[in-house]
Amino acid sequence: MTRYFRPMILLAPLLIFLALAYMLPFAGVIGWSFTRPEPGLQNYTAALTDPLILSVFWRTLRICVMVTVISVIMGYILALLWVRGSPLVRTLTELCILIPFWISVLTRAFGWLALLSSRGLLNGWLEGMGVIEDPLRLVRNEFGVIVGMVHFMIPFAVFPLASAMRTVDERVLMAARGMGASRTRVFWQVFVPMTAAGLMGAALLVFVFAIGFFITPAILGGGRSVMVAELIYLRIFQSPDWGLAAAVSVILMVAISALLALLLKQLSPKGGDR
């Protein structure tokens, strides 16, 4: 009993702090969703039936899926170079992953805005070389949002993928090559299945982060590609509709919690077979 309660006593201040800092405010948000402007379920009914809010939900889902797929594919390539490349390639890849990871999301979003805007560097170069006559619309739309989010999310895909690749037993790959399999066949039929847990973990991690993104869509979307987090911000700070914003927040929190539960189950030592 002492062994069981002693760690709990040591963790008690942290648990109390987390409860006060996170659970109590979120309990207040849940309360608003049922009581503002009047008691009832009208906020949830509006959140699940309003065409404008549903379109934001679908846009968020579509963008998150696209960001997840692109980030995982690019992350897999980078992780492969990082884990199995030559020492020089590993060093260069590590720099390409870590340096952007250390730069704040706000700085990166404004960097993409400076690069992709109508009067940005890319359009200036293309017009200067005579490739285009009119500027391309690369920001203030979903394309700009996806570019900015993918750039931010790639490191979060690389880390679980690299971890999974480092656990691959080289002797299994050598055995497959010794049986006459080509390098391509060994990669697709042996290496990729052995890193499937990393792929699943990376996809869930990127999707969970992406679904709550706010700064990058707000800057690169320019109000034309509103996602759920920006919708909540607008409902709270630009319209007195706190109850509906709270209901959307609760729905978003439930969706993220379900995905996190799936992620933890996937990353558990027994691979979710418990």
Side-chain angles (χ1 to χ4, degrees), residues 56-167:
V56 173
F57 276 125
W58 283 117
R59 182 185 301 116
T60 302
L61 181 63
R62 181 175 66 250
I63 290 176
C64 290
V65 169
M66 294 176 67
V67 168
T68 300
V69 171
I70 298 172
S71 299
V72 170
I73 292 174
M74 297 181 71
Y76 200 93
I77 297 172
L78 284 173
L80 195 62
L81 294 173
W82 194 17
V83 174
R84 305 184 70 82
S86 65
L88 178 60
V89 171
R90 291 181 188 180
T91 302
L92 293 176
T93 306
E94 190 171 345
L95 291 175
C96 291
I97 296 169
L98 294 181
I99 289 177
F101 184 70
W102 292 330
I103 300 174
S104 74
V105 60
L106 190 62
T107 304
R108 279 190 270 181
F110 279 115
W112 280 112
L113 192 63
L115 180 64
L116 300 178
S117 64
S118 299
R119 298 184 178 181
L121 296 175
L122 183 58
N123 275 312
W125 290 337
L126 293 176
E127 286 180 320
M129 291 186 296
V131 178
I132 58 174
E133 295 182 356
D134 298 320
L136 300 175
R137 293 187 60 188
L138 302 176
V139 289
R140 311 297 187 190
N141 51 28
E142 287 189 14
F143 176 80
V145 173
I146 291 172
V147 169
M149 291 179 65
V150 166
H151 182 238
F152 184 82
M153 291 297 178
I154 285 177
F156 293 96
V158 168
F159 295 138
L161 287 169
S163 178
M165 290 178 185
R166 290 192 176 98
T167 62

Side-chain angles (χ1 to χ4, degrees), residues 14 37-38 53 55 76 82 101 119 150 154 213 215 220 223 239:
L14 176 62
E38 57 186 23
I53 297 176
S55 68
Y76 200 93
W82 194 17
F101 184 70
R119 298 184 178 181
V150 166
I154 285 177
F213 237 67
I215 295 176
L220 296 177
S239 63

